[in-house]
Amino acid sequence: MPTYQYKCPHCENEFEEFQSITEDPIDKCPQCGKKPRRIITGGAGFLLKGSGFYTTDYRSESYKAAAKKDSDAAVSSTAKTDTTKKDKPKTDKPKA
Ligand SMILES: [Zn+2]
């Protein structure tokens, strides 16, 4: 029996339903009675899609961290370039 996961966009209620494939999708949120959104289709795909769902969540977190790291690296590499630029005239000064 596949598990269907629903999320109600109206009240943010998340719930799972064990249904047969022939059954109609739930169209009433048990909390508010409005139509929920089915986010996972059951069977073997449940685990795959479920883990993918969470992976996406983690990815967006690590993406943010990576993006921050990148901008930090960009800043420090810019600073490094600046230091190199500052050093060059210094070396040139005694010459001139
Ligand atoms: Zn609801």
Side-chain angles (χ1 to χ4, degrees):
M1 192 89 88
T3 307
Y4 296 99
Q5 192 168 341
Y6 293 85
K7 180 169 184 176
C8 175
H10 305 285
C11 68
E12 301 289 307
N13 181 34
E14 286 183 53
F15 59 100
E16 289 176 359
E17 283 290 329
F18 295 95
Q19 294 183 283
S20 85
I21 291 170
T22 52
E23 266 182 276
D24 288 334
I26 301 287
D27 64 354
K28 271 186 185 171
C29 168
Q31 195 162 292
C32 71
K34 289 178 181 172
K35 191 174 182 178
R37 202 173 44 178
R38 189 161 77 181
I39 53 179
I40 286 167
T41 309
F46 172 75
L47 280 180
L48 283 175
K49 285 189 181 176
S51 68
F53 182 74
Y54 290 111
T55 305
T56 309
D57 255 9
Y58 278 119
R59 194 183 294 153
S60 68
E61 276 306 303
S62 62
Y63 176 79
K64 275 186 223 159
K68 205 189 170 198
K69 215 179 180 183
D70 272 357
S71 65
D72 281 353
V75 167
S76 65
S77 82
T78 308
K80 211 178 184 183
T81 311
D82 275 352
T83 315
T84 315
K85 269 181 188 171
K86 268 181 195 167
D87 279 350
K88 265 190 182 173
K90 242 185 191 177
T91 320
D92 281 349
K93 252 187 187 176
K95 253 188 193 176

